[in-house]
Amino acid sequence: MNSMNDTGAVAGPASGPTSHTTHRFRGLVATGFIATLVAMAATTLAAALAQAVGVGFEVSDGGETIPLSGFAVVTGFFSVVGIVIAVALLRWSARPAERFLWTAVSLTAISLVPPLLSGADTATITGLLGLHLVAAAVMIPTLTRSLRTRVASHPD
């Protein structure tokens, strides 16, 4: 049945600026989550290799050993924090890639302090520092490159 008010128009997906913005964010988040999985696997593998050559990963408080799953969980958590920072910068910064790179490198440098203050043995401290750098080596370039791509392909 036809109505007098029926124009025959069907609403489709939005193709305006909001659609491009949403696509930029979704692409960045998807890339970030893939990089997070890679970083989690890389740090867990590196920790397993370090344990195989004798690194104990014992924290001085109580002498507890950090489990391999702990490396994956902490890497995953802070990688997601990095994705959130990247998304926020994509939304609110005129130069998100440069700001992200500076912020991520600064936060990585700060993350190196706790292992140095942990009171653990030298092998554990060295292993923990290396694992921080492994995760950073995966996440920072991936998110920075993704931000540059999104800004270049969709200038607002």
Side-chain angles (χ1 to χ4, degrees):
M1 290 188 202
N2 288 336
S3 164
M4 295 297 277
N5 294 329
D6 186 22
T7 62
V10 176
S15 61
T18 303
S19 177
H20 290 295
T21 302
T22 301
H23 178 71
R24 287 173 43 183
F25 292 135
R26 284 185 184 162
L28 177 61
V29 170
T31 299
F33 277 123
I34 291 167
T36 296
L37 294 174
V38 171
M40 291 169 66
T43 55
T44 304
L45 177 61
L49 292 172
Q51 284 181 340
V53 297
V55 177
F57 291 117
E58 290 181 14
V59 183
S60 65
D61 294 339
E64 293 185 30
T65 301
I66 302 170
L68 288 178
S69 61
F71 295 108
V73 169
V74 171
T75 300
F77 176 80
F78 285 104
S79 295
V80 170
V81 169
I83 295 168
V84 170
I85 292 168
V87 167
L89 289 170
L90 181 60
R91 170 66 180 98
W92 289 297
S93 175
R95 295 179 18 215
E98 292 78 11
R99 299 279 188 242
F100 176 79
L101 180 60
W102 186 89
T103 302
V105 169
S106 298
L107 290 173
T108 300
I110 291 167
S111 80
L112 299 177
V113 174
L116 294 171
L117 301 177
S118 68
D121 63 28
T122 303
T124 296
I125 291 171
T126 303
L128 291 172
L129 294 174
L131 293 175
H132 281 82
L133 297 176
V134 166
V138 172
M139 293 304 297
I140 295 172
T142 302
L143 289 173
T144 301
R145 187 173 29 256
S146 185
L147 284 166
R148 284 191 179 126
T149 301
R150 281 158 204 347
V151 169
S153 65
H154 296 289
D156 286 333

